[in-house]
Amino acid sequence: MKKPVLALTLCALISTGSVFAAQPPRDNFYWLGQINKASDVINTDEGLLTPEEGHAFAKGIDKVLRDGNLPGAARPHNVITFEPYLIKAAGPDVTKIHAGRSSQDMLTTVGIMEQREHLLTMAKKLNQVQEDFIRLAEENKDTLIPNYTNGVAAQPNSLAHYFIAYANAYGRDMQRVREYYKRLNRSPMGSTVLNGTGWPLDRDRMAEYLGFDGLAYNTYDAGQIFPQEAPIETGGITNCIAIHTTSFIEEIMQQYAQPRPWIILKEGGGNTYVSSAMPQKRNPGLLNSCRTDASTLLGMSVEAMFRSHNIPAGMADGRLSGARDIMPQASKVLTSMDKILNNLVIDPARSLEELNLDWTCSQEIADELMKNHGIPFRMGHHFASEIVTYARAHDITPRDFTYEDAKAIYAKVCASDPHLPRDFPMTEEEWEHAKDPASIVRNRKVKGGPQPAELDKMIQMAKDDLADNKAWTEETEKKLASAEQKLNQDFDKLLRDCMK
């Protein structure tokens, strides 16, 4: 005998590893169907339904689901609109499967099951963005760039060091996802409304069939408090994703104000577009649209917070809902971020030129004076500041500011400061090293700095974190697919028995 269409579809999807791309849509109708199947199987096994009733109800559930999967068919998304279809297919006795259930625990369960799939989709996109940054770091170990604070060039750095910092940031977003999943993936089924039910329901088996890791144990919390809290925590996770994304975008956008930027997007391909009025302009459309989507994501999280504000626990206003879940919007942002990272054009010669045009080495001058010659940092800072003031007034770059120039400025500074040595203490070699961006980056000493040994260490740490995150994502998906397969197999057996 042929298996039901739904079971065949799921088995095929599991075998190909794409269970979360299933057709028909994995919407409220789909998940209410799964809950009804689990209720029928469990209650029949536990003796709350007779075998004859369980078999007959399985046939009715299967018909409703198959009919709902037909093109253009209705797919009721609420318990009270789904049930009439069951009654039509199997008679009023089918409502016996509703013993000990409520719209509250059922729709809370549906919302969680929908969100966990959205969460895993987002997790895979987070992993991809983290992988992009690691790859870019490995490709740019020797690329030297100016880092900026307050929008002003501040320090020379390795571009790889900068990229790994963002890999770490999105890795923390993934940690938040994993921590939240532990709280999310607890089954409310059987909590009914407020205080449970007099029916001896097997909550544990229901949780296993629906892919949960355990129970949302307190029945009041399960249906009233957590569903209102969850969208707020979701917003916290996605807010961090949005902020990391827009911060990176803004730093790229700064380069577009320069006539010769050192990092931009490849032209065309949906990355840039030509101005309708000014032929020279190549507007970074992809950056703009991703930033807009991230801003929308932030707004959606605030909306979720206000829906839950000033209402009693359990009201529908703020309840976790797959239809209002903001994680798909976060996935959209991450998809665009992935495209940005795969379409960057980096010009190492231009970034080094920018470093050598400005005085991002000035702190190193003060550091070297203190480290090698015992001059207090503030005094060295004052000397370096005087150099920068003089150099900018006379349009002298660091590379062209000679050792003799430095000694002349030092003589003026120490004339008014009796605590300074009378002669400029730095050697000419020290002076040249203090101005060299490559030397500055190479000679960092602290853990986590951009020096080659630490950079290689941090790249490996990021790779290890990514591998762990990928393994968790894959394992979690497989566990959910296995639970769903088991439910469908057991329901299919009950259905076959009633078709004999």
Side-chain angles (χ1 to χ4, degrees):
M1 166 169 236
K2 291 184 179 180
K3 291 184 179 181
V5 173
L6 191 61
L8 281 170
T9 302
L10 182 65
C11 290
L13 286 163
I14 290 172
S15 69
T16 60
S18 57
V19 66
F20 297 136
Q23 294 296 328
R26 297 168 74 83
D27 52 12
N28 276 37
F29 177 80
Y30 179 83
W31 291 114
L32 287 172
Q34 293 298 102
I35 291 172
N36 282 323
K37 289 194 289 186
S39 295
D40 192 25
V41 172
I42 295 171
N43 290 351
T44 300
D45 288 350
E46 297 294 320
L48 298 180
L49 300 174
T50 67
E52 294 75 19
E53 288 173 329
H55 299 163
F57 300 163
K59 185 176 180 181
I61 293 169
D62 181 64
K63 175 173 172 49
V64 171
L65 297 180
R66 285 190 291 110
D67 288 349
N69 294 336
L70 296 174
R75 296 174 65 84
H77 63 278
N78 284 323
V79 175
I80 58 174
T81 55
F82 192 111
E83 190 173 74
Y85 288 84
L86 288 176
I87 294 172
K88 183 177 180 181
D93 282 356
V94 75
T95 60
K96 290 182 179 181
I97 67 170
H98 197 60
R101 302 189 322 184
S102 165
S103 291
Q104 291 230 6
D105 63 344
M106 291 177 71
L107 291 178
T108 297
T109 302
V110 166
I112 291 174
M113 292 191 292
E114 288 183 336
Q115 189 185 67
R116 72 186 178 193
E117 290 196 352
H118 296 162
L119 180 146
L120 288 169
T121 296
M122 185 182 76
K124 287 186 284 189
K125 293 182 182 295
L126 272 171
N127 291 340
Q128 184 58 56
V129 168
Q130 190 179 11
E131 187 170 18
D132 292 336
F133 274 116
I134 295 170
R135 172 184 55 78
L136 287 167
E138 290 192 297
E139 293 171 358
N140 288 278
K141 289 182 179 180
D142 298 323
T143 301
L144 299 176
I145 64 166
N147 278 161
Y148 307 89
T149 61
N150 296 302
V152 181
Q155 290 271 18
N157 199 5
S158 157
L159 181 55
H161 187 258
Y162 170 79
F163 281 146
I164 284 297
Y166 272 99
N168 293 342
Y170 285 99
R172 287 191 297 276
D173 292 333
M174 188 60 191
Q175 290 171 17
R176 295 181 186 97
V177 165
R178 293 173 63 171
E179 290 163 3
Y180 173 60
Y181 188 85
K182 294 177 185 178
R183 291 182 284 278
L184 175 71
N185 202 38
R186 301 289 169 179
S187 174
M189 281 304 299
S191 63
T192 316
V193 184
L194 307 177
N195 66 351
T197 176
W199 292 93
L201 300 180
D202 190 338
R203 292 191 69 196
D204 295 300
R205 189 176 174 193
M206 176 67 77
E208 291 172 7
Y209 267 147
L210 299 179
F212 289 100
D213 296 324
L215 300 179
Y217 204 87
N218 182 289
T219 58
Y220 188 93
D221 184 17
Q224 307 298 305
I225 298 177
F226 178 78
Q228 189 170 311
E229 160 195 322
I232 311 304
E233 186 167 4
T234 303
I237 296 168
T238 60
N239 284 350
C240 288
I241 293 171
I243 295 302
H244 292 148
T245 301
T246 56
S247 292
F248 182 81
I249 287 173
E250 281 307 296
E251 296 199 278
I252 306 299
M253 291 291 285
Q254 288 181 4
Q255 292 291 309
Y256 274 87
Q258 296 195 28
R260 294 177 59 234
W262 58 262
I263 183 168
I264 55 174
L265 294 174
K266 292 178 185 177
E267 289 191 16
N271 302 325
T272 65
Y273 63 93
V274 180
S275 166
S276 64
M278 293 156 284
Q280 85 282 6
K281 292 189 69 183
R282 302 296 186 269
N283 296 320
L286 178 58
L287 298 180
N288 292 335
S289 61
C290 185
R291 183 174 58 185
T292 298
D293 288 338
S295 297
T296 299
L297 179 59
L298 290 170
M300 291 171 71
S301 73
V302 174
E303 177 190 358
M305 179 177 64
F306 275 101
R307 280 201 308 268
S308 293
H309 177 59
N310 277 348
I311 59 172
M315 297 301 294
D317 310 46
R319 180 180 293 275
L320 178 67
S321 165
R324 289 199 303 260
D325 187 19
I326 65 177
M327 286 186 181
Q329 179 70 16
S331 292
K332 182 180 180 182
V333 170
L334 290 166
T335 297
S336 294
M337 186 62 173
D338 175 53
K339 185 175 181 181
I340 289 169
L341 296 175
N342 282 283
N343 284 277
L344 292 176
V345 178
I346 298 163
D347 187 343
R350 173 67 191 102
S351 63
L352 181 59
E353 178 187 17
E354 184 172 324
L355 280 169
N356 286 323
L357 286 173
D358 202 358
W359 285 88
T360 55
C361 62
S362 60
Q363 183 180 329
E364 185 70 8
I365 295 170
D367 284 345
E368 291 294 317
L369 283 169
M370 183 169 68
K371 184 170 62 175
N372 297 334
H373 303 286
I375 294 176
F377 177 77
R378 192 56 56 200
M379 293 180 180
H381 184 283
H382 176 62
F383 164 66
S385 181
E386 289 295 317
I387 284 178
V388 173
T389 300
Y390 180 86
R392 287 177 173 168
H394 295 83
D395 198 22
I396 306 174
T397 67
R399 294 182 68 176
D400 295 332
F401 203 96
T402 68
Y403 183 62
E404 295 303 318
D405 292 334
K407 288 199 296 184
I409 296 295
Y410 183 83
K412 292 180 180 180
V413 172
C414 74
S416 60
D417 190 340
H419 298 94
L420 286 171
R422 296 300 92 187
D423 295 325
F424 185 43
M426 295 182 81
T427 66
E428 186 168 0
E429 182 180 14
E430 287 175 333
W431 173 249
E432 293 302 326
H433 282 170
K435 297 187 300 169
D436 177 26
S439 178
I440 293 171
V441 170
R442 186 174 57 248
N443 292 321
R444 299 290 88 177
K445 300 298 183 184
V446 298
K447 289 183 177 181
Q451 62 269 36
E454 283 297 297
L455 188 56
D456 288 341
K457 180 180 179 181
M458 287 185 288
I459 288 174
Q460 187 57 53
M461 289 168 64
K463 285 182 175 180
D464 292 344
D465 286 343
L466 175 62
D468 185 56
N469 288 335
K470 282 186 169 182
W472 177 85
T473 306
E474 182 178 356
E475 180 183 349
T476 302
E477 283 195 318
K478 284 182 177 179
K479 184 175 180 180
L480 293 178
S482 177
E484 194 164 341
Q485 184 179 35
K486 172 64 173 170
L487 169 58
N488 289 339
Q489 287 173 342
D490 289 354
F491 179 78
D492 190 38
K493 180 178 182 300
L494 186 61
L495 182 63
R496 286 199 308 271
D497 288 344
C498 78
M499 288 182 173
K500 289 178 181 178

